[in-house]
Amino acid sequence: MILLFLQHKFYKMITAKEEKLWNKNYIKVWSANFMIFFSFMLLTPLLPIYLSETFQADKQTIGIVLSGYTIMALISRALSGYIVDSFPRKLVLLTSYFLFFLFFTGYIIAGSLLFFAIVRTFHGAPFGATTVANSTVAIDVLPASRRAEGIGYYGLSNNLATAISPSIALWIFHATHNYDILFGTSFAIGAVGFIINSTIKLPQKEIIKEKNKLSLDRFFLLKGWSEALCMICFAFSYGVISTYVAIYGKEELDITGGAGFFFMLFAIGLIFSRLVGSRSLRKGRVAENASIGCIIALFGYLLFALLHNEFGYYSAALIIGLGNGHMWPAFQNMFVNLAPNSQRGTANSSLLVSWDVGIGIGIVIGGFLAEIYGYHSAFWCAWIINILGVTGFFLYVRKHYQKNKLC
């Protein structure tokens, strides 16, 4: 019996060492996630210009039209967690992904501003659902021993797509001056992502049918309420900065086209810190990674609010990127580790919903402050709200997570 026990332990140790992070399924879902954000972000920098030139829309109208997808994505993410947990995940993923890339044809055939607004708004639903389903499937195909590390690397697909797609979009447009080519490119890239995901092989898991009535916990991870409040604070700060950084740089610092370089530095910081932080996550240092990220980002927001020059403008971008690159995957691990396997979708949707809520509030309040009191008041508000989130994390959330985590 002792010999059998030792053999069993030795076998588990050997197989654990041989578990691969970058297995075929993980590479596929990672690549498909890259396609989601690349195809979506390819249009983002040019849609305001397209609406202005094609439909003669004013700035206020453009803001209303483009904000519709955010609201719809928020609603769909809140529901998607429950759907992903209650139905076969591959079926949910492929259905939402198919609708996601199919909606790009709507931009091509939209002949009026109203039709375009409807397409853009409803496009947010499959986008929100696909991001939840894809991230949940990514967790499913990761070996348990490499899950925390894998979540960190998974976010690189978002960051890389977001960093390079706007530049490629501008290059395509300047070369062709044809918006339909951009819409068609997004459709094609989304279709490739769908095909990639259709070849994923998921482990068979029993779908747990709830006998009790639906509760709020099936749509939002109630155990992660304090983590969600912190995430809302962090997203608020990012929402203010990211929305008004371009116009602030142009009007007050006389930096023409500086927003592109700002977000490039931000993406570099994200990518570097994710690569470094993933090693720490592999060792189970989730709370430590979150702590480092919170402090670094807090300093970046302070620098942006304090220094009204190019140095403060660009260095803050890199520092905030470094902080968010540590903080985001750590918080995603926290949400996932607080949830049982049957609520992984709910955990992912709760994280994304919290971020969306914070971004939305930040945009609204930041815009109000910038209009009445100037940009600097909005940026100081972003820093103060960030302090609240960091304070809450160190005083309560970190201990709450350590006490309630399931793995």
Side-chain angles (χ1 to χ4, degrees):
M1 290 294 292
I2 296 176
L3 181 61
L4 289 174
F5 176 78
L6 292 176
Q7 286 178 335
H8 176 68
K9 284 292 185 183
F10 179 74
Y11 174 76
K12 287 183 68 177
M13 181 178 67
I14 295 297
T15 54
K17 288 184 178 180
E18 292 179 348
E19 285 186 311
K20 291 183 179 180
L21 170 62
W22 294 95
N23 59 67
K24 290 182 180 179
N25 287 322
Y26 180 66
I27 292 174
K28 289 176 181 178
V29 75
W30 191 98
S31 301
N33 191 59
F34 176 87
M35 303 295 180
I36 294 170
F37 283 90
F38 188 94
S39 59
F40 201 78
M41 296 301 296
L42 192 70
L43 305 181
T44 301
L46 289 170
L47 283 182
I49 302 174
Y50 171 75
L51 293 175
S52 177
E53 292 182 352
T54 307
F55 302 114
Q56 290 74 51
D58 56 34
K59 292 180 181 179
Q60 185 177 5
T61 303
I62 291 172
I64 294 173
V65 171
L66 297 184
S67 63
Y69 95 92
T70 304
I71 299 173
M72 190 60 71
L74 174 62
I75 295 171
S76 70
R77 279 173 170 171
L79 299 174
S80 297
Y82 171 74
I83 296 173
V84 167
D85 290 333
S86 303
F87 297 93
R89 284 175 181 167
K90 185 173 180 179
L91 176 62
V92 175
L93 173 61
L94 293 182
T95 302
S96 60
Y97 211 127
F98 177 78
L99 292 173
F100 165 71
F101 84 80
L102 187 65
F103 257 87
F104 284 114
T105 60
Y107 296 105
I108 298 175
I109 64 177
S112 67
L113 182 61
L114 177 60
F115 189 11
F116 186 94
I118 293 172
V119 171
R120 180 65 177 177
T121 298
F122 282 96
H123 198 183
F127 173 74
T130 305
T131 52
V132 172
N134 206 78
S135 59
T136 305
V137 168
I139 295 171
D140 284 344
V141 300
L142 281 167
S145 62
R146 308 294 296 274
R147 185 176 299 147
E149 182 185 9
I151 289 175
Y153 285 124
Y154 177 80
L156 281 175
S157 56
N158 304 16
N159 304 148
L160 288 171
T162 303
I164 66 177
S165 56
S167 298
I168 293 177
L170 292 170
W171 178 80
I172 293 174
F173 179 72
H174 288 311
T176 64
H177 294 283
N178 190 319
Y179 291 104
D180 286 346
I181 292 178
L182 279 172
F183 299 147
T185 302
S186 291
F187 172 85
I189 293 172
V192 171
F194 172 79
I195 294 171
I196 291 173
N197 263 347
S198 66
T199 64
I200 292 174
K201 295 182 179 179
L202 291 180
Q204 292 294 328
K205 292 188 176 182
E206 181 184 358
I207 303 298
I208 300 175
K209 299 294 183 180
E210 293 287 339
K211 296 181 179 180
N212 300 324
K213 293 182 179 180
L214 291 181
S215 62
L216 180 60
D217 197 43
R218 299 304 297 156
F219 299 95
F220 188 86
L221 188 66
L222 296 180
K223 192 185 291 185
W225 68 269
S226 59
E227 287 77 6
L229 287 178
C230 280
M231 184 57 72
I232 289 173
C233 290
F234 301 149
F236 178 99
S237 305
Y238 179 73
V240 173
I241 299 297
S242 62
T243 301
Y244 302 103
V245 64
I247 191 169
Y248 162 71
K250 181 180 179 180
E251 291 185 358
E252 296 206 6
L253 303 182
D254 197 26
I255 302 176
T256 304
F261 191 49
F262 178 96
F263 285 108
M264 183 180 295
L265 289 173
F266 177 78
I268 290 172
L270 280 173
I271 293 168
F272 178 79
S273 59
R274 278 186 181 268
L275 289 173
V276 174
S278 291
R279 300 174 185 175
S280 178
L281 290 174
R282 183 179 180 180
K283 299 176 182 178
R285 298 172 181 170
V286 175
E288 291 83 350
N289 251 37
S291 302
I292 293 171
C294 291
I295 293 173
I296 293 175
L298 179 64
F299 178 70
Y301 289 114
L302 174 62
L303 198 64
F304 193 88
L306 191 63
L307 299 183
H308 310 148
N309 52 39
E310 290 191 25
F311 175 78
Y313 187 86
Y314 290 122
S315 58
L318 182 63
I319 294 171
I320 294 171
L322 287 169
N324 282 12
H326 276 290
M327 178 271 295
W328 178 272
F331 265 79
Q332 186 171 12
N333 270 286
M334 290 168 73
F335 273 89
V336 171
N337 291 342
L338 287 171
N341 292 344
S342 60
Q343 283 189 284
R344 282 180 181 171
T346 303
N348 277 311
S349 67
S350 299
L351 171 74
L352 294 170
V353 166
S354 302
W355 184 260
D356 288 342
V357 169
I359 290 284
I361 297 174
I363 292 173
V364 173
I365 296 181
F368 172 79
L369 292 174
E371 182 71 24
I372 304 299
Y373 303 106
Y375 293 114
H376 301 301
S377 64
F379 300 148
W380 279 113
C381 178
W383 181 66
I384 291 171
I385 297 299
N386 204 266
I387 287 179
L388 293 178
V390 173
T391 302
F393 175 79
F394 281 101
L395 291 182
Y396 182 80
V397 174
R398 194 164 56 167
K399 294 179 181 178
H400 172 268
Y401 167 71
Q402 297 291 0
K403 180 180 178 181
N404 293 279
K405 65 179 181 179
L406 299 179
C407 58

